mmCIF file of all heavy atoms in Angstrom:
data_model
loop_
_atom_site.group_PDB
_atom_site.id
_atom_site.type_symbol
_atom_site.label_atom_id
_atom_site.label_comp_id
_atom_site.label_asym_id
_atom_site.label_seq_id
_atom_site.Cartn_x
_atom_site.Cartn_y
_atom_site.Cartn_z
ATOM 1 N N VAL T 162 0.828 -1.201 -0.004
ATOM 2 C CA VAL T 162 0.005 0.007 0.001
ATOM 3 C C VAL T 162 0.862 1.262 -0.002
ATOM 4 O O VAL T 162 0.666 2.175 -0.795
ATOM 5 C CB VAL T 162 -0.959 -0.004 1.209
ATOM 6 C CG1 VAL T 162 -1.656 1.349 1.358
ATOM 7 C CG2 VAL T 162 -1.996 -1.110 1.054
ATOM 8 N N ASN T 163 1.861 1.306 0.870
ATOM 9 C CA ASN T 163 2.637 2.530 1.036
ATOM 10 C C ASN T 163 3.645 2.759 -0.074
ATOM 11 O O ASN T 163 3.816 3.892 -0.529
ATOM 12 C CB ASN T 163 3.387 2.503 2.378
ATOM 13 C CG ASN T 163 2.448 2.569 3.545
ATOM 14 O OD1 ASN T 163 1.340 3.071 3.446
ATOM 15 N ND2 ASN T 163 2.873 2.029 4.669
ATOM 16 N N GLU T 164 4.330 1.741 -0.532
ATOM 17 C CA GLU T 164 5.378 1.935 -1.539
ATOM 18 C C GLU T 164 4.849 1.758 -2.957
ATOM 19 O O GLU T 164 5.260 2.478 -3.865
ATOM 20 C CB GLU T 164 6.522 0.958 -1.275
ATOM 21 C CG GLU T 164 7.227 1.201 0.044
ATOM 22 C CD GLU T 164 8.287 0.157 0.348
ATOM 23 O OE1 GLU T 164 8.633 -0.624 -0.551
ATOM 24 O OE2 GLU T 164 8.752 0.131 1.493
ATOM 25 N N SER T 165 3.966 0.802 -3.145
ATOM 26 C CA SER T 165 3.486 0.502 -4.503
ATOM 27 C C SER T 165 2.199 1.241 -4.850
ATOM 28 O O SER T 165 1.798 1.260 -6.001
ATOM 29 C CB SER T 165 3.247 -1.001 -4.653
ATOM 30 O OG SER T 165 4.369 -1.732 -4.253
ATOM 31 N N GLU T 166 1.562 1.812 -3.836
ATOM 32 C CA GLU T 166 0.275 2.489 -4.012
ATOM 33 C C GLU T 166 -0.686 1.621 -4.822
ATOM 34 O O GLU T 166 -1.238 2.029 -5.826
ATOM 35 C CB GLU T 166 0.480 3.860 -4.665
ATOM 36 C CG GLU T 166 1.271 4.794 -3.811
ATOM 37 C CD GLU T 166 1.517 6.146 -4.439
ATOM 38 O OE1 GLU T 166 0.954 6.447 -5.520
ATOM 39 O OE2 GLU T 166 2.275 6.926 -3.855
ATOM 40 N N ILE T 167 -0.868 0.403 -4.318
ATOM 41 C CA ILE T 167 -1.735 -0.549 -5.042
ATOM 42 C C ILE T 167 -3.197 -0.139 -4.945
ATOM 43 O O ILE T 167 -3.606 0.558 -4.038
ATOM 44 C CB ILE T 167 -1.559 -1.984 -4.517
ATOM 45 C CG1 ILE T 167 -1.900 -2.041 -3.043
ATOM 46 C CG2 ILE T 167 -0.164 -2.494 -4.809
ATOM 47 C CD1 ILE T 167 -2.257 -3.422 -2.586
ATOM 48 N N PHE T 168 -3.950 -0.619 -5.902
ATOM 49 C CA PHE T 168 -5.382 -0.362 -5.963
ATOM 50 C C PHE T 168 -6.136 -1.382 -5.109
ATOM 51 O O PHE T 168 -7.078 -1.044 -4.400
ATOM 52 C CB PHE T 168 -5.867 -0.402 -7.401
ATOM 53 C CG PHE T 168 -7.327 -0.131 -7.580
ATOM 54 C CD1 PHE T 168 -7.801 1.183 -7.481
ATOM 55 C CD2 PHE T 168 -8.223 -1.145 -7.846
ATOM 56 C CE1 PHE T 168 -9.152 1.442 -7.649
ATOM 57 C CE2 PHE T 168 -9.562 -0.885 -8.015
ATOM 58 C CZ PHE T 168 -10.040 0.417 -7.922
ATOM 59 N N ARG T 169 -5.715 -2.639 -5.183
ATOM 60 C CA ARG T 169 -6.336 -3.709 -4.382
ATOM 61 C C ARG T 169 -5.257 -4.683 -3.907
ATOM 62 O O ARG T 169 -4.274 -4.942 -4.609
ATOM 63 C CB ARG T 169 -7.331 -4.536 -5.216
ATOM 64 C CG ARG T 169 -8.591 -3.803 -5.584
ATOM 65 C CD ARG T 169 -9.579 -3.710 -4.421
ATOM 66 N NE ARG T 169 -10.869 -3.290 -4.846
ATOM 67 C CZ ARG T 169 -11.237 -2.023 -5.054
ATOM 68 N NH1 ARG T 169 -10.387 -1.061 -4.887
ATOM 69 N NH2 ARG T 169 -12.465 -1.737 -5.430
ATOM 70 N N PHE T 170 -5.453 -5.227 -2.703
ATOM 71 C CA PHE T 170 -4.605 -6.255 -2.124
ATOM 72 C C PHE T 170 -5.504 -7.459 -1.930
ATOM 73 O O PHE T 170 -6.419 -7.428 -1.110
ATOM 74 C CB PHE T 170 -4.070 -5.773 -0.759
ATOM 75 C CG PHE T 170 -3.053 -6.671 -0.136
ATOM 76 C CD1 PHE T 170 -1.699 -6.421 -0.293
ATOM 77 C CD2 PHE T 170 -3.444 -7.772 0.619
ATOM 78 C CE1 PHE T 170 -0.767 -7.234 0.322
ATOM 79 C CE2 PHE T 170 -2.514 -8.603 1.204
ATOM 80 C CZ PHE T 170 -1.160 -8.327 1.056
ATOM 81 N N LEU T 171 -5.275 -8.514 -2.713
ATOM 82 C CA LEU T 171 -6.130 -9.699 -2.680
ATOM 83 C C LEU T 171 -5.356 -10.900 -2.171
ATOM 84 O O LEU T 171 -4.177 -11.063 -2.494
ATOM 85 C CB LEU T 171 -6.668 -9.998 -4.092
ATOM 86 C CG LEU T 171 -7.446 -8.877 -4.764
ATOM 87 C CD1 LEU T 171 -7.786 -9.252 -6.198
ATOM 88 C CD2 LEU T 171 -8.711 -8.530 -3.987
ATOM 89 N N THR T 172 -6.028 -11.759 -1.395
ATOM 90 C CA THR T 172 -5.379 -12.950 -0.889
ATOM 91 C C THR T 172 -5.832 -14.162 -1.688
ATOM 92 O O THR T 172 -6.970 -14.246 -2.139
ATOM 93 C CB THR T 172 -5.671 -13.169 0.609
ATOM 94 O OG1 THR T 172 -7.086 -13.200 0.817
ATOM 95 C CG2 THR T 172 -5.070 -12.065 1.452
ATOM 96 N N LYS T 173 -4.872 -15.102 -1.844
ATOM 97 C CA LYS T 173 -5.172 -16.342 -2.576
ATOM 98 C C LYS T 173 -5.614 -17.411 -1.567
ATOM 99 O O LYS T 173 -5.139 -17.389 -0.440
ATOM 100 C CB LYS T 173 -3.927 -16.834 -3.311
ATOM 101 C CG LYS T 173 -3.483 -15.914 -4.408
ATOM 102 C CD LYS T 173 -2.425 -16.512 -5.285
ATOM 103 C CE LYS T 173 -1.084 -16.626 -4.618
ATOM 104 N NZ LYS T 173 -0.029 -17.136 -5.480
ATOM 105 N N PRO T 174 -6.458 -18.299 -1.982
ATOM 106 C CA PRO T 174 -7.042 -18.342 -3.318
ATOM 107 C C PRO T 174 -8.087 -17.249 -3.469
ATOM 108 O O PRO T 174 -8.864 -16.987 -2.545
ATOM 109 C CB PRO T 174 -7.686 -19.724 -3.374
ATOM 110 C CG PRO T 174 -7.988 -20.073 -1.956
ATOM 111 C CD PRO T 174 -6.932 -19.401 -1.127
ATOM 112 N N VAL T 175 -8.075 -16.606 -4.618
ATOM 113 C CA VAL T 175 -9.014 -15.517 -4.858
ATOM 114 C C VAL T 175 -10.158 -16.042 -5.718
ATOM 115 O O VAL T 175 -9.939 -16.765 -6.703
ATOM 116 C CB VAL T 175 -8.330 -14.309 -5.516
ATOM 117 C CG1 VAL T 175 -7.777 -14.638 -6.886
ATOM 118 C CG2 VAL T 175 -9.250 -13.125 -5.587
ATOM 119 N N ASN T 176 -11.350 -15.694 -5.317
ATOM 120 C CA ASN T 176 -12.543 -16.069 -6.064
ATOM 121 C C ASN T 176 -12.521 -15.318 -7.398
ATOM 122 O O ASN T 176 -12.200 -14.135 -7.439
ATOM 123 C CB ASN T 176 -13.760 -15.677 -5.216
ATOM 124 C CG ASN T 176 -15.079 -15.926 -5.894
ATOM 125 O OD1 ASN T 176 -15.362 -15.317 -6.943
ATOM 126 N ND2 ASN T 176 -15.879 -16.777 -5.297
ATOM 127 N N SER T 177 -12.872 -15.990 -8.468
ATOM 128 C CA SER T 177 -12.814 -15.348 -9.794
ATOM 129 C C SER T 177 -13.735 -14.139 -9.882
ATOM 130 O O SER T 177 -13.422 -13.172 -10.564
ATOM 131 C CB SER T 177 -13.132 -16.344 -10.901
ATOM 132 O OG SER T 177 -14.450 -16.848 -10.747
ATOM 133 N N ASP T 178 -14.864 -14.168 -9.180
ATOM 134 C CA ASP T 178 -15.752 -13.001 -9.180
ATOM 135 C C ASP T 178 -15.116 -11.817 -8.493
ATOM 136 O O ASP T 178 -15.252 -10.665 -8.941
ATOM 137 C CB ASP T 178 -17.074 -13.344 -8.488
ATOM 138 C CG ASP T 178 -17.924 -14.321 -9.270
ATOM 139 O OD1 ASP T 178 -17.762 -14.422 -10.518
ATOM 140 O OD2 ASP T 178 -18.787 -14.992 -8.651
ATOM 141 N N VAL T 179 -14.373 -12.070 -7.411
ATOM 142 C CA VAL T 179 -13.690 -11.015 -6.692
ATOM 143 C C VAL T 179 -12.595 -10.402 -7.578
ATOM 144 O O VAL T 179 -12.440 -9.180 -7.663
ATOM 145 C CB VAL T 179 -13.092 -11.534 -5.354
ATOM 146 C CG1 VAL T 179 -12.187 -10.495 -4.716
ATOM 147 C CG2 VAL T 179 -14.216 -11.945 -4.403
ATOM 148 N N LEU T 180 -11.824 -11.258 -8.252
ATOM 149 C CA LEU T 180 -10.769 -10.781 -9.142
ATOM 150 C C LEU T 180 -11.366 -9.987 -10.300
ATOM 151 O O LEU T 180 -10.870 -8.912 -10.649
ATOM 152 C CB LEU T 180 -9.944 -11.947 -9.643
ATOM 153 C CG LEU T 180 -8.758 -11.597 -10.544
ATOM 154 C CD1 LEU T 180 -7.784 -10.668 -9.835
ATOM 155 C CD2 LEU T 180 -8.051 -12.873 -10.994
ATOM 156 N N HIS T 181 -12.434 -10.499 -10.874
ATOM 157 C CA HIS T 181 -13.091 -9.813 -11.994
ATOM 158 C C HIS T 181 -13.579 -8.426 -11.540
ATOM 159 O O HIS T 181 -13.386 -7.445 -12.255
ATOM 160 C CB HIS T 181 -14.265 -10.648 -12.498
ATOM 161 C CG HIS T 181 -14.960 -10.044 -13.655
ATOM 162 N ND1 HIS T 181 -16.104 -9.253 -13.522
ATOM 163 C CD2 HIS T 181 -14.699 -10.066 -14.992
ATOM 164 C CE1 HIS T 181 -16.503 -8.850 -14.706
ATOM 165 N NE2 HIS T 181 -15.677 -9.312 -15.615
ATOM 166 N N LYS T 182 -14.199 -8.352 -10.366
ATOM 167 C CA LYS T 182 -14.669 -7.052 -9.855
ATOM 168 C C LYS T 182 -13.514 -6.106 -9.598
ATOM 169 O O LYS T 182 -13.599 -4.909 -9.887
ATOM 170 C CB LYS T 182 -15.490 -7.234 -8.587
ATOM 171 C CG LYS T 182 -16.017 -5.888 -8.037
ATOM 172 C CD LYS T 182 -17.063 -6.058 -7.023
ATOM 173 C CE LYS T 182 -17.620 -4.804 -6.432
ATOM 174 N NZ LYS T 182 -17.224 -3.521 -6.943
ATOM 175 N N ALA T 183 -12.392 -6.622 -9.064
ATOM 176 C CA ALA T 183 -11.229 -5.767 -8.800
ATOM 177 C C ALA T 183 -10.705 -5.166 -10.105
ATOM 178 O O ALA T 183 -10.388 -3.969 -10.172
ATOM 179 C CB ALA T 183 -10.143 -6.555 -8.097
ATOM 180 N N VAL T 184 -10.625 -5.973 -11.152
ATOM 181 C CA VAL T 184 -10.155 -5.475 -12.452
ATOM 182 C C VAL T 184 -11.148 -4.472 -13.038
ATOM 183 O O VAL T 184 -10.770 -3.421 -13.537
ATOM 184 C CB VAL T 184 -9.872 -6.639 -13.418
ATOM 185 C CG1 VAL T 184 -9.601 -6.133 -14.830
ATOM 186 C CG2 VAL T 184 -8.737 -7.502 -12.924
ATOM 187 N N LYS T 185 -12.421 -4.800 -12.940
ATOM 188 C CA LYS T 185 -13.457 -3.889 -13.443
ATOM 189 C C LYS T 185 -13.403 -2.556 -12.701
ATOM 190 O O LYS T 185 -13.459 -1.483 -13.331
ATOM 191 C CB LYS T 185 -14.848 -4.545 -13.258
ATOM 192 C CG LYS T 185 -15.986 -3.763 -13.823
ATOM 193 C CD LYS T 185 -17.294 -4.512 -13.627
ATOM 194 C CE LYS T 185 -18.471 -3.660 -14.087
ATOM 195 N NZ LYS T 185 -19.740 -4.338 -13.862
ATOM 196 N N ASP T 186 -13.274 -2.598 -11.384
ATOM 197 C CA ASP T 186 -13.162 -1.354 -10.595
ATOM 198 C C ASP T 186 -11.894 -0.576 -10.950
ATOM 199 O O ASP T 186 -11.899 0.656 -11.014
ATOM 200 C CB ASP T 186 -13.172 -1.662 -9.103
ATOM 201 C CG ASP T 186 -14.526 -2.162 -8.606
ATOM 202 O OD1 ASP T 186 -15.524 -2.063 -9.347
ATOM 203 O OD2 ASP T 186 -14.574 -2.679 -7.464
#
């Protein structure tokens, strides 16, 4: 968060719907 200024931090295994929504957002 601090150095990379990421948009989302997701933990695996990630649900495909969650990943799809993160990319869409």
